[in-house]
Amino acid sequence: GGAGCIIVEASCVSWDGRNGPRGLAICEDFHIEGLRKLTSRVHALGAKISIQLLHRGRAALPSVTGRPVKLVSWVPGITPADESSILSDDEIQDIIKKYGEAAARAKKAGFDAVEIHGAHGYLITQFLSPLTNRRTDRWGGSPEKRLTFALEVLKAVREAVGPDFPVGFRLSAMEGVPGGMTVEDTKRIASALVDAGVDVLHISAGIPEADIDIPLAHKPHGWNVENASAIREATGRRVPVIAVSRLGVHALARSVVENDKVDMLALGRALLADPYFPVKVQEGRDTEVLPCVACNEACAGRTRRGLEVRCAFNPRTGFEGLYPYGDDPAPVSRRVVIAGGAVAGMEAALHASERGHKVTLFEQSQQLGGLCRAAALPPYKQDLNGIVAWFEQALRARADIDIRLGEKATVEKIAACHADRVIVATGRRPVVPGFCAENPMV
């Protein structure tokens, strides 16, 4: 799809810091073999691959880890009171050691780099932040002491991988809650990390309480770019800086790099929606990019419930092994009739056409899109219009799809098409809250 480097998700360096029930781990030697299979497949297709090293700290769940939650400090309203304990000096030293051991495993597994995950309210952030670090020992009490844990982790990782192996560091530009880190704080932290030998900075934002680490559509496209750019300038441009967060718009993605705001872009949800985003933009096929609408329904919304990743508008996401991209033609070309021109009907028509079938699509209204058009009307939902537009242009580009607007798919019309297969995609019933169900205006 054109990605230059794939950064594998946050992978725990210790079982008590595991990242959810399906989270990856790199805390035991037996993990190396499976991860090596992953790196080999990525290298075979020409990309580089890195992996994030993580301990969740206060964000860990005993129901997942089977262990008490490890806290930097106890903070009322922020940290759990039950099944938790304050980290002792020995425990802190042990976790630092485990970061180094995990980095060594990453190198053995064939990764080209590692990224220390110091963002999003995880353990390293908890040490860095005045909100969560109330310690008065060598690990807290001043901005310099709050940096100690991050610098010791970096030192352990560097010693494990050697001087020439790339080590990145992910930071939240700001935490987004009162009393948390600000952009000015992160500038200072980033500069210290670069001084200590970090090779690349990856600037995200937020902690769980702020709900901007994987922001919904209420955040504008590219909203975090200026923060990343400011941190880049504060570090004297001594290392490359990666920007992330709502950059999945082709024109924006191109302009951010061309205008020298940052050095690289990270795309997460945008690649779940369309894994060919980079190569399509590179080849000038911008209109072919299936846009991400930041709905978080099937990606973050599912992973936060311990379920597999999906995408609301790309049915292949999570099923690539069963339904690979670049389908082979169907053994027999058939006549397929689809009743309904909303998103499901349009997807069915497009997929059937791609497999070589002759498609007739009936839509009783005068336009495609169905309820997706109504769903795009409230504030912050306008990106759904891009979904409808994408399907429309994709369908109209295929000569073997006969789109019949203003026609209801009756039995007689379907029979007249000599259909071999009929797909009923006549839409879903909207959810109407009970308190207004009887209102004729609803």
Side-chain angles (χ1 to χ4, degrees):
C5 179
I6 293 170
I7 305 176
V8 177
E9 66 191 72
S11 304
C12 72
V13 302
S14 174
W15 288 121
D16 57 9
R18 191 177 177 196
N19 191 27
R22 295 181 181 272
L24 290 183
I26 191 169
C27 56
E28 303 280 358
D29 286 345
F30 71 79
H31 292 131
I32 295 173
E33 181 181 357
L35 292 170
R36 186 179 288 125
K37 292 178 182 178
L38 174 61
T39 60
S40 297
R41 292 182 71 167
V42 170
H43 287 149
L45 292 170
K48 301 295 184 183
I49 181 167
S50 178
I51 187 169
Q52 291 177 338
L53 308 180
L54 167 90
H55 191 295
R56 284 181 69 97
R58 73 178 178 94
L61 299 173
S63 60
V64 171
T65 66
R67 295 164 170 82
V69 178
K70 299 298 183 181
L71 304 178
V72 174
S73 306
W74 189 72
V75 184
I78 292 291
T79 53
D82 299 328
E83 297 186 74
S84 63
S85 63
I86 304 297
L87 285 164
S88 68
D89 190 81
D90 287 344
E91 288 175 317
I92 292 171
Q93 296 288 358
D94 184 59
I95 292 173
I96 291 169
K97 179 183 175 183
K98 287 177 177 177
Y99 269 97
E101 292 170 346
R105 293 186 190 102
K107 189 173 182 179
K108 289 179 181 177
F111 285 95
D112 300 291
V114 294
E115 179 172 278
I116 301 167
H117 201 324
H120 299 171
Y122 298 140
L123 184 62
I124 292 176
T125 315
Q126 291 158 32
F127 273 99
L128 291 171
S129 172
L131 179 68
T132 48
N133 188 345
R134 310 288 177 87
R135 302 177 75 104
T136 56
D137 57 6
R138 62 173 293 208
W139 306 104
S142 69
E144 291 72 28
K145 288 185 176 181
R146 290 197 296 269
L147 255 168
T148 305
F149 181 74
L151 292 174
E152 289 296 314
V153 167
L154 174 59
K155 180 181 177 182
V157 168
R158 177 58 73 197
E159 289 176 352
V161 299
D164 299 323
F165 191 82
V167 176
F169 210 105
R170 195 176 209 203
L171 290 169
S172 290
M174 91 290 285
E175 292 191 284
V177 295
M181 289 191 301
T182 65
V183 175
E184 292 304 312
D185 294 325
T186 303
K187 288 178 181 179
R188 176 183 53 80
I189 293 166
S191 294
L193 291 170
V194 174
D195 290 342
V198 161
D199 296 304
V200 58
L201 293 169
H202 186 173
I203 306 302
S204 185
I207 60 175
E209 288 81 2
D211 205 24
I212 55 174
D213 51 340
I214 310 176
L216 291 159
H218 67 288
K219 282 292 186 183
H221 292 286
W223 71 278
N224 196 41
V225 168
E226 292 302 328
N227 294 328
S229 185
I231 292 166
R232 182 189 189 214
E233 296 303 318
T235 58
R237 299 194 180 198
R238 287 178 287 162
V239 299
V241 170
I242 304 170
V244 69
S245 195
R246 298 221 68 202
L247 293 170
V249 176
H250 43 78
L252 171 65
R254 183 181 287 110
S255 69
V256 168
V257 175
E258 289 179 351
N259 292 330
D260 197 30
K261 291 288 187 179
V262 293
D263 302 284
M264 289 177 274
L265 304 182
L267 302 174
R269 292 170 293 175
L271 293 184
L272 297 178
D274 192 334
Y276 292 91
F277 181 112
V279 74
K280 287 178 179 179
V281 174
Q282 188 177 21
E283 295 176 356
R285 297 186 287 132
D286 295 8
T287 59
E288 297 180 24
V289 175
L290 176 63
C292 168
V293 299
C295 67
N296 283 11
E297 287 291 338
C299 51
R302 285 178 61 86
T303 58
R304 284 171 173 167
R305 301 197 304 274
L307 302 173
E308 310 94 328
V309 168
R310 299 283 186 265
C311 176
F313 293 104
N314 182 352
R316 279 189 173 92
T317 301
F319 293 100
E320 294 86 356
L322 289 173
Y323 309 112
Y325 288 86
D327 293 321
D328 293 328
V332 178
S333 178
R334 303 186 185 276
R335 296 182 182 276
V336 178
V337 171
I338 298 170
V343 173
M346 292 191 290
E347 173 65 39
L350 188 60
H351 188 66
S353 172
E354 289 172 348
R355 297 216 66 203
H357 302 301
K358 305 296 182 183
V359 179
T360 302
L361 174 65
F362 287 97
E363 168 54 48
Q364 65 180 353
S365 72
Q366 294 296 329
Q367 58 185 0
L368 297 169
L371 288 176
C372 197
R373 290 184 180 273
L377 294 175
Y380 310 118
K381 294 292 186 178
Q382 61 271 16
D383 283 359
L384 288 171
N385 288 317
I387 292 292
V388 176
W390 183 87
F391 273 109
E392 283 187 313
Q393 66 87 23
L395 292 176
R396 296 188 189 282
R398 305 194 70 88
D400 51 1
I401 300 179
D402 178 15
I403 301 173
R404 301 188 184 182
L405 298 178
E407 291 191 41
K408 189 173 183 178
T410 63
V411 172
E412 294 76 18
K413 288 184 178 180
I414 292 173
C417 292
H418 304 289
D420 299 304
R421 299 288 186 271
V422 178
I423 298 174
V424 179
T426 49
R428 45 198 312 183
R429 292 176 179 170
V431 175
V432 180
F435 73 87
C436 60
E438 303 302 320
N439 189 324
M441 296 298 291
V442 176

